[in-house]
Amino acid sequence: MQAPQPTLYPETIKFLEVIEEIKETNRLLKVEPKTNIGISNLIYPTDRTIFSKLKTGMRKRVPMDALLNLAKHFKIDMNYIFYDNFEINYFPEVLQESTTKNQANYSVSDDHLRIINKNNYNALGLTIKLYEQMMNLMEQNRNLSENKKVKSK
């Protein structure tokens, strides 16, 4: 007989989702930390197995210290806990190569950022989309003004 699945609080589920997104983003960009232990060392060093304890229900709630350190270290907006469908829009500010620990320069396209952040409705994706639309409108305006100049001559 299988053991019943633990009942997790919605805040715990959202917290664990954020951790997974951070790990996946860091894996894609080849930056550290990209493991549970690496992240837990930064946000809750007193218990490196905090994520597995939360997943299995051994620990019911996310410690406040872990939430605060997650927000501070990874620059995560804490609204993700309170609102459904709120995207965290995580993108590391300081990029380091895993092998050399030196700062690395990565050129990441706008489309790649959208893929990393999962959809076009987060703040960064929305900003990029608005910028693209503004550039298209400026180009259309430029074309219209050129057409008017040609017709008036």
Side-chain angles (χ1 to χ4, degrees), residues 12-70:
T12 303
I13 293 170
K14 288 180 181 182
F15 176 79
L16 293 171
E17 287 173 356
V18 168
I19 298 302
E20 289 303 314
E21 185 161 342
I22 290 170
K23 287 185 340 189
E24 186 60 30
T25 302
N26 287 353
R27 275 190 211 118
L28 285 170
L29 295 175
K30 298 177 183 161
V31 296
E32 294 293 337
K34 52 188 164 194
T35 63
N36 281 344
I37 290 178
I39 294 171
S40 65
N41 279 339
L42 294 172
I43 66 170
Y44 200 67
T46 57
D47 185 3
R48 295 185 337 181
T49 60
I50 186 71
F51 305 134
S52 59
K53 287 179 180 175
L54 288 168
K55 286 177 188 175
T56 60
M58 289 176 61
R59 187 165 192 142
K60 299 291 182 198
R61 299 264 185 196
V62 179
M64 186 56 77
D65 290 352
L67 287 173
L68 292 173
N69 289 334
L70 176 73

Side-chain angles (χ1 to χ4, degrees), residues 78-114:
M78 296 301 286
N79 284 320
Y80 76 89
I81 289 180
F82 307 108
Y83 301 105
D84 291 335
N85 301 321
F86 187 85
E87 294 297 323
I88 67 164
N89 193 26
Y90 168 67
F91 189 73
E93 287 183 6
V94 177
L95 300 175
Q96 290 186 339
E97 291 185 73
S98 302
T99 54
T100 63
K101 303 289 187 220
N102 294 331
Q103 281 198 350
N105 246 345
Y106 288 98
S107 59
V108 180
S109 70
D110 296 344
D111 290 333
H112 193 198
L113 283 175
R114 284 192 190 114

Side-chain angles (χ1 to χ4, degrees), residues 134-146:
M134 183 181 71
M135 294 305 288
N136 286 337
L137 287 172
M138 288 175 62
E139 184 64 30
Q140 288 173 358
N141 189 22
R142 188 175 306 122
N143 290 340
L144 284 173
S145 63
E146 287 176 4

Side-chain angles (χ1 to χ4, degrees), residues 112-152:
H112 193 198
L113 283 175
R114 284 192 190 114
I115 291 167
I116 289 171
N117 291 306
K118 294 187 180 176
N119 66 30
N120 291 336
Y121 299 105
N122 58 54
L124 181 61
L126 183 60
T127 303
I128 292 168
K129 191 167 186 150
L130 288 171
Y131 176 76
E132 289 170 350
Q133 289 176 349
M134 183 181 71
M135 294 305 288
N136 286 337
L137 287 172
M138 288 175 62
E139 184 64 30
Q140 288 173 358
N141 189 22
R142 188 175 306 122
N143 290 340
L144 284 173
S145 63
E146 287 176 4
N147 286 341
K148 286 182 180 179
K149 287 179 186 176
V150 170
K151 287 181 182 178
S152 64

